[in-house]
Every structure is written in C-alpha cells, then in structure tokens.
Amino acid sequence: MWGRGLLRGAKFAQLSSPSPSSPSSRSLLSAASTASSNLLSSQYQRGRWFGSSTANMAPIRDPNTLSNYDAWRTRHTTANLKIDFTDKCLRGSVILELESQTDKASKEIILDSSYVAVNSIKLNSAPSTWETKARTEPNGSPVHIAVPEGATKGEVVKVEIELATTDKCTALQWLTPAQTSNKAAPFMFSQCQAIHARSLFPCQDTPDVKSTYDFNITSPYVVVASGVPVPDETKDLGEEKLYKFQQKVPIPSYLFALSSGDIASAPVGKRSCVCTGPNELKESQWELEGDMDKFLEAAEKIVFPYRWGEYNVLVLPPSFPYGGMENPIFTFATPTIISGDKQNIDVIAHELAHSWSGNLVTSCSWEHFWLNEGWTMYLERRILASIHGGDAHFDFSAIRGWKALEEAIKEYGEDHEFTKLCISHKGIDPDDAFSTVPYEKGFHFVWSLDRLVGRENFDKFIPYYFGKWSNKSLDSYEFKNTFLEFFSAPEYSDLKDKIASIDWEGRFHSTGLPPKPEFDTSLADVCYELAEKWKSKDFTPSPSDVSSWTGNQILVFLNAVQDFEQPLTVEQSQALGKAYGLSESKNAELKAAYFHIAMRSKDTSAYQGVADLLGDVGRMKFVRPLFRGLNKVDRELALKTFEKNREFYHPICRQMVEKDLGVAAAA
C-alpha cells in the first residue's frame, strides 16, 4: 500500500478511492472499453519493443517508464547522498551499474527523472555526453546518456550522476522541528511508490527492474534506510555522521527509502526493533512487542523463511499518508497504529506479508499491481487467522474488506476502468489509479483459487509460486501460467475440470464487484445485531454494548450504521458518540468512522471535530474520505481546513485532496 510518492496505504485496503470526479478519472472512464482490455491482454502476451535493433531482448512492458531497460538493466546502485535540512534537499552522487542486454546494439542509456537537478554524468569514470529531454506527463523528463561504442551483451558499465533534488521533488517530505512531537529537530522521510524514485535520482524507475543497493548517507541526525544497517562503519564527520546500509536482495526502485531525524529505537522481537521519536518510543514499543515474532513465525509457516535478515518498523510523524509502506528491513508505518489498545497493528501483518508478495515477488508494472496487493491481503489474513485462532478471523477481516471494496466501486461507478484488476496505464499516472480495488478484488481472486483447489493443495502452491518468482517481476499472464503449470502435475488430475472453469480474462478485465463468497459471519453477527437496534429511535445505548468487543468489531458495527437507508438523527448520532466514547477516542479508525455517521446525520456540532482530526492525521485512508464528507456538508469549513493544513500533508496527499475538493487548477 500503497503508497505514489506518499500516497499509499497499506495501501491499503489502506487506500481510499480517488474521486471519480477528477479530470483523470473522468477521461479514463469515458475511454474504458473492451478495446482497452484487448490492448492490455495482447500487450502482455507479445510485449512492447523500443528501437529497431532489439532482437532477443526482453520486452518493455511498463508504460510508466521512459527508460530503455530492454537494452540495459540496473544490477547495483550506490547512493552517496547528504541530507541537507537547510536547503531541504538530497545532494551527492548515485552510481548505477548497468548490464548490457544487447551485443553493442544500443548506443545510449535512457533513465527516468523528474525535477532532478543533474550536474554531471560520468560513464565508466569518464565525462559523458548526456541530455535531459523535455518533460512529458505523467512520466517525467528522460535523461539520455550516450554510449558511443555500445557494450557487449553481459558487460557492465558504470554511470555516476552528480545531482541534487529540488523543491519539486515528490518523494520527500520535510518537517520543521515544530512539526515533530518533541520540537527538537527537523525530520525527513521518503516515499517512492509508485513512480517517485525518479524525483530523487535518475534511474530505471520501474518494478520490472531490480537492483541491490549500498547506502552511504550523511546527516546531522539518525538515518534509517531500506537496507541492513552496517553500524561498524558509521563515521563521525564533525556535526554530521555517515550512516551505511546494505541491501543484498535485489529490489525495485520504488522500495528505495530514507528517513532522518531525532529517532530512537527499542527492541520488539528477536529480529525486530521499532524506531520513532523519543517521546513516542515507550508507547510504540508496548504496542508492538510480543506480536512481531508471532507475525514472522506465522508468515514463515505459510510461505518459507524470511529472507531479509531484520524486520523493523519506523513509526513516522502523523503526516505520513499511508497505513504503512513495505520498505524492506524498515516498514514505514503510520502513527495511527499506535492507539494504546493494540487494535490497529494488523497493518504490520500486511506490511510484513509484503516481504514475500511485492518485495520478493513483484508485479512488473502498476497495471498488474493486484499481484502485489491481492496476494498480500491474502497472506495478511492467513497470518491473522493463525495468530488469533481460526478461519472466522480470516472471514471477519474479509467482510471488512468487502465493505471497503463496495464503497470504492460505488465511488467510481461499477463500469469504471479503475475497477478492473488489470488497468491500462498508457498515459495514466499510477497515483490516480490506486485504490482499494487491487487489494480487495485481487484478494478475492486469490482466495477463489484457494477455495477452488482446496486449502491443502493451495498451501503447496504458495511456496512454489514465491520460490519460482523470487527476485523477479511478473505480469498477470505469467501468474496464470505458473498456476496452470503447477496444477498440471499428475497428482492434481482430479482438479482438471475445476481449473478449466477459471475465467481468467473475466477476472483480469471485468469491471465492478467480483462474485461474492459466503462469509463466516460468526464474529460479525453481534455487530449487525447491535446495528439493527439503532434503527429504532427508542433504543437507549450503554457503554456495555461494546465493552467486550475488539476495535474491529466496533468498526464493523459503525460501517453497518453508515449503510442505513435513513441516517441517524442528530440526537442519535450524539448519543452514539457519547455512549461508546467515539468522539474522544484515540483510535483514528473508530473516530473517523463515527464522524462519517455524524456528517451524514447533519450533526453540525461534530464538524469542528472532523476539522480537528484532519489537522492531526495525514493518512489518506482517513483524510480523503473525511474531506469529501465535510465538503458535502460544509464546504467553507472544508476549504478553510485544507488551507490551514496544506503544508502538513505530504505533496501527493495534498494533490489528491485538491482534486477531491475541485481546487486543483488553482493550486
């Protein structure tokens, strides 16, 4: 999750759906057709090719890159960067080691870039001829580097780029000391998904290319990166320190991550620590310890042993726009998971699951993003069922996910292109297409395969799939072929007719909701029963109604109330918030859900509470729907609240809210 510069949620079902009224959504909706599905299907079976001398080269199959990664592939990246808090930029050099995919057929390397100040480029330590071409949206400004003699196939060339990020960088957020809890130091964090690594440094910014990394990062404050720390090589440089990290598992560019600030750490498991601001460390440690080892052990039993060494969590300041971001080694997490009741740490199960689905095995482009997120939702729910004791918990989470999927598809319209699993991204910014759909619709496809072949058989397929595609990227059709390949073995001959019945094209390209399964509602029934009582205006609530419930059960109850054909009265809405302590809750999930009910009830006394919450959290799962709701009942307050908190939000979150409020043109 997400995720999109700083857009994603875990992404989430950590994401809210973009507004269908945005220009990009409207234009794509009008263009959605059977032809686009046929185009995407044929494109990924044939591949796209750049240039005329491309015999025997792998196809370019990502429309959101301008790089010629069919001719050159990044194998290793060294980032020698200084974090400059005064000028709010990264400056230094990045060295790309690229392997030639042709026998001297390609005479230039093309890299993605976006608003990066490139000062010089060396090719194999010698000055090179290079040019930054004109910008085209949404993919940026490609950098062309001449390789006059080409290179033999398999030969590695080194490209060293001296650069600095600019104030238009979409991957970084800079916070002043006043924006942190202890006011002691500034803070910086990155978010490169989906196509924002190119705003840090020129690179092959596509999930179809994976590279190992060395991080050599200089900062006056503690640094965290998406690699294993090398503490013995940390060096004092006067008022600054050089921090080193290594990532020996190849990762795509969107998983490049940095953060720096007044960061403290504490252990929360045998292989895990939590990092956050000193003021938040104790409560963060309490929230996470005791569960990290359980999550890891459960995941390893489902797939195979964890391959990344450490698994740590960095709890970021409240402007982080996702539930979590699965950066390897260090998951970047929203502070909304630290709610004092251990009710929201399931986000960690999701991000941990990404260590296999997404990070180890990756969709080759954002058109096949469901391969990352659908699988991750499935693994997350398997992990939680293992820990909490049974499939009822799996189904309970899936029920919540179905609700989110219904809302997303209702928001888009059931015939919208963005409600497909595989979405053509030609001319489309992935940020605009991200939503709950790839998470939950993708999950339902994976779960349907599980039910079709049986859990025992599917559990054998899981390690086979992740083993075959480890350190690689794939598209939906390669997933299909892998599934069919595995179940073509003689021992599965009794499944032949069932497998032949799978409508692969329909699953990949149909709009709207997928077939709804029969859920085990045993954990949800009590929530629905209480919701039914609230349909009577004579019902008198009591705190004991929900005192024994989990936070997620309360959330399912609140979602059911939101779905009432007739909204609660103002008096009922106020009684709901008071009796169950929702308006004063520290749990942002519950508070946001309650405010949606209050706004639908036209309870004006709650509007300022909505505005206050929008000034406290930057997680888009909450921010975007709350702004849309507030805009409907009090546009003046919505606009005032957005202007007040504009600089608090991450740039991508800010852009999305501008679209939601219809003020993007004026921004």
Side-chain angles (χ1 to χ4, degrees):
M1 124 342 33
W2 344 215
R4 335 163 243 293
L6 283 168
L7 194 162
R8 190 132 63 93
K11 296 175 336 224
F12 52 248
Q14 305 300 333
L15 289 177
S16 61
S17 58
S19 171
S21 61
S22 69
S24 60
S25 296
R26 288 199 305 270
S27 62
L28 189 56
L29 177 58
S30 64
S33 65
T34 303
S36 68
S37 297
N38 292 340
L39 171 65
L40 185 61
S41 175
S42 62
Q43 177 183 355
Y44 278 90
Q45 295 185 60
R46 296 193 307 268
R48 294 184 295 112
W49 305 88
F50 285 171
S52 57
S53 300
T54 54
N56 299 320
M57 294 194 306
I60 294 283
R61 52 184 182 171
D62 181 357
N64 291 118
T65 181
L66 298 174
S67 68
N68 60 341
Y69 74 88
D70 59 333
W72 306 87
R73 280 190 171 249
T74 307
R75 297 307 187 193
H76 185 74
T77 303
T78 302
N80 304 305
L81 297 171
K82 175 181 178 179
I83 300 175
D84 187 334
F85 282 95
T86 301
D87 292 340
K88 295 183 178 179
C89 73
L90 305 181
R91 64 175 82 252
S93 70
V94 172
I95 302 171
L96 306 177
E97 298 177 31
L98 299 109
E99 180 184 348
S100 173
Q101 304 298 296
T102 74
D103 192 7
K104 298 189 176 183
S106 177
K107 306 300 184 183
E108 67 175 353
I109 295 169
I110 305 173
L111 303 175
D112 294 303
S113 79
S114 179
Y115 301 119
V116 178
V118 177
N119 300 317
S120 67
I121 299 178
K122 293 180 180 179
L123 179 67
N124 291 330
S125 301
S128 69
T129 301
W130 59 276
E131 179 184 6
T132 301
K133 300 285 189 178
R135 184 177 184 85
T136 57
E137 298 296 348
N139 292 336
S141 310
V143 176
H144 290 240
I145 305 164
V147 188
E149 304 302 321
T152 58
K153 188 171 184 178
E155 182 181 349
V156 174
V157 302
K158 285 190 176 183
V159 173
E160 182 174 357
I161 307 168
E162 292 286 339
L163 59 92
T165 60
T166 69
D167 59 2
K168 292 185 178 181
C169 175
T170 53
L172 299 176
Q173 184 165 16
W174 302 85
L175 304 179
T176 65
Q179 291 175 294
T180 66
S181 61
N182 67 358
K183 320 297 183 187
F187 198 94
M188 180 279 295
F189 63 91
S190 69
Q191 176 63 37
C192 290
Q193 196 178 44
I195 57 171
H196 300 278
R198 65 192 68 181
S199 72
L200 296 179
F201 53 87
C203 59
Q204 293 180 322
D205 196 9
T206 168
D208 211 10
V209 172
K210 295 186 173 185
S211 166
T212 53
Y213 282 83
D214 280 312
F215 300 79
N216 302 307
I217 311 298
T218 303
S219 175
Y221 306 104
V222 175
V223 173
V224 165
S226 51
V228 176
V230 188
D232 292 344
E233 296 190 24
T234 300
K235 295 181 181 179
D236 284 314
L237 303 174
E239 296 181 355
E240 299 177 326
K241 283 187 177 181
L242 172 64
Y243 296 85
K244 294 193 174 187
F245 305 81
Q246 289 184 332
Q247 182 51 265
K248 296 182 179 180
V249 181
I251 60 174
S253 55
Y254 76 86
L255 293 177
F256 180 95
L258 292 176
S259 184
S260 184
D262 188 9
I263 299 172
S265 65
V268 290
K270 297 175 183 176
R271 290 174 277 180
S272 305
C273 71
V274 62
C275 300
T276 190
N279 289 7
E280 293 77 34
L281 185 61
K282 186 175 181 180
E283 61 184 11
S284 297
Q285 183 181 28
W286 178 87
E287 198 90 22
L288 297 175
E289 66 182 348
D291 289 301
M292 303 297 283
D293 290 341
K294 293 178 184 177
F295 285 154
L296 274 163
E297 290 166 6
E300 289 178 322
K301 288 179 181 178
I302 296 166
V303 193
F304 48 62
Y306 183 75
R307 294 185 176 179
W308 303 85
E310 302 177 15
Y311 179 73
N312 306 311
V313 177
L314 172 65
V315 180
L316 287 166
S319 58
F320 184 59
Y322 299 135
M325 179 61 209
E326 64 272 16
N327 300 313
I329 314 300
F330 281 94
T331 280
F332 284 16
T334 172
T336 62
I337 69 170
I338 310 301
S339 53
D341 55 9
K342 290 184 177 283
Q343 293 295 314
N344 291 318
I345 60 171
D346 288 358
V347 167
I348 301 302
H350 181 94
E351 303 310 331
L352 172 62
H354 268 304
S355 300
W356 291 268
S357 56
N359 295 8
L360 201 62
V361 176
T362 311
S363 63
C364 69
S365 79
W366 305 107
E367 297 181 317
H368 302 270
F369 185 50
W370 76 270
L371 286 168
N372 290 5
E373 297 300 346
W375 263 105
T376 297
M377 292 305 305
Y378 175 82
L379 293 177
E380 172 196 337
R381 287 169 177 150
R382 289 288 304 274
I383 292 168
L384 295 177
S386 173
I387 290 173
H388 297 310
D391 287 341
H393 291 275
F394 181 100
D395 283 44
F396 182 68
S397 176
I399 289 169
R400 294 173 56 217
W402 185 267
K403 164 72 174 174
L405 180 59
E406 286 182 322
E407 291 176 348
I409 289 178
K410 180 181 179 181
E411 189 79 29
Y412 278 127
E414 62 181 14
D415 295 326
H416 199 289
E417 174 83 1
F418 289 174
T419 66
K420 297 178 180 179
L421 274 191
C422 299
I423 303 167
S424 175
H425 274 54
K426 186 175 181 180
I428 298 299
D429 187 331
D431 288 348
D432 290 336
F434 280 2
S435 75
T436 299
V437 172
Y439 294 79
E440 294 298 343
K441 195 169 183 177
F443 158 76
H444 277 281
F445 184 33
V446 175
W447 190 24
S448 74
L449 297 176
D450 172 4
R451 298 195 309 275
L452 183 75
V453 302
R455 177 61 57 85
E456 183 178 352
N457 293 327
F458 197 70
D459 279 353
K460 296 175 183 176
F461 171 69
I462 292 172
Y464 174 81
Y465 166 63
F466 285 104
K468 176 173 181 173
W469 289 99
S470 287
N471 302 328
K472 301 174 186 176
S473 304
L474 78 163
D475 63 40
S476 298
Y477 295 95
E478 288 170 315
F479 170 74
K480 170 188 172 182
N481 292 338
T482 302
F483 184 87
L484 296 178
E485 171 188 83
F486 180 84
F487 285 104
S488 68
E491 59 263 39
Y492 302 115
S493 59
D494 59 324
L495 298 172
K496 181 178 179 181
D497 291 341
K498 285 186 176 182
I499 291 173
S501 71
I502 301 171
D503 180 9
W504 295 93
E505 289 301 309
R507 285 288 191 169
F508 292 159
H509 300 297
S510 292
T511 59
L513 288 166
K516 185 175 182 178
E518 290 188 12
F519 295 111
D520 177 346
T521 62
S522 57
L523 293 177
D525 286 341
V526 64
C527 311
Y528 299 142
E529 290 168 5
L530 180 60
E532 280 297 313
K533 295 178 181 179
W534 275 90
K535 289 183 177 180
S536 170
K537 293 181 174 59
D538 297 327
F539 176 67
T540 302
S542 166
S544 63
D545 295 340
V546 298
S547 59
S548 63
W549 287 11
T550 66
N552 285 335
Q553 284 180 302
I554 297 174
L555 190 60
V556 168
F557 155 71
L558 293 173
N559 287 339
V561 174
Q562 283 180 255
D563 284 344
F564 283 178
E565 185 175 341
Q566 295 294 325
L568 299 184
T569 65
V570 170
E571 292 75 18
Q572 284 180 300
S573 173
Q574 292 174 350
L576 175 70
K578 183 177 181 180
Y580 304 152
L582 299 170
S583 57
E584 303 302 323
S585 174
K586 293 182 179 180
N587 189 319
E589 289 272 6
L590 303 183
K591 200 169 188 176
Y594 164 67
F595 280 143
H596 282 294
I597 293 171
M599 286 189 288
R600 189 164 180 246
S601 299
K602 302 295 195 296
D603 179 6
T604 57
S605 67
Y607 295 174
Q608 187 55 51
V610 176
D612 292 342
L613 182 58
L614 286 167
D616 291 337
V617 301
R619 185 178 176 185
M620 291 201 303
K621 177 181 181 180
F622 306 129
V623 171
R624 297 189 64 196
L626 285 171
F627 263 120
R628 289 198 292 263
L630 188 59
N631 190 49
K632 291 177 181 177
V633 297
D634 192 335
R635 179 167 173 78
E636 182 179 352
L637 180 58
L639 294 175
K640 178 181 177 182
T641 301
F642 177 63
E643 287 303 319
K644 179 181 179 181
N645 298 291
R646 174 186 288 272
E647 297 307 315
F648 167 71
Y649 301 125
H650 182 272
I652 300 303
C653 178
R654 187 162 62 238
Q655 291 172 19
M656 294 294 103
V657 174
E658 286 172 345
K659 292 180 180 180
D660 292 336
L661 296 179
V663 297

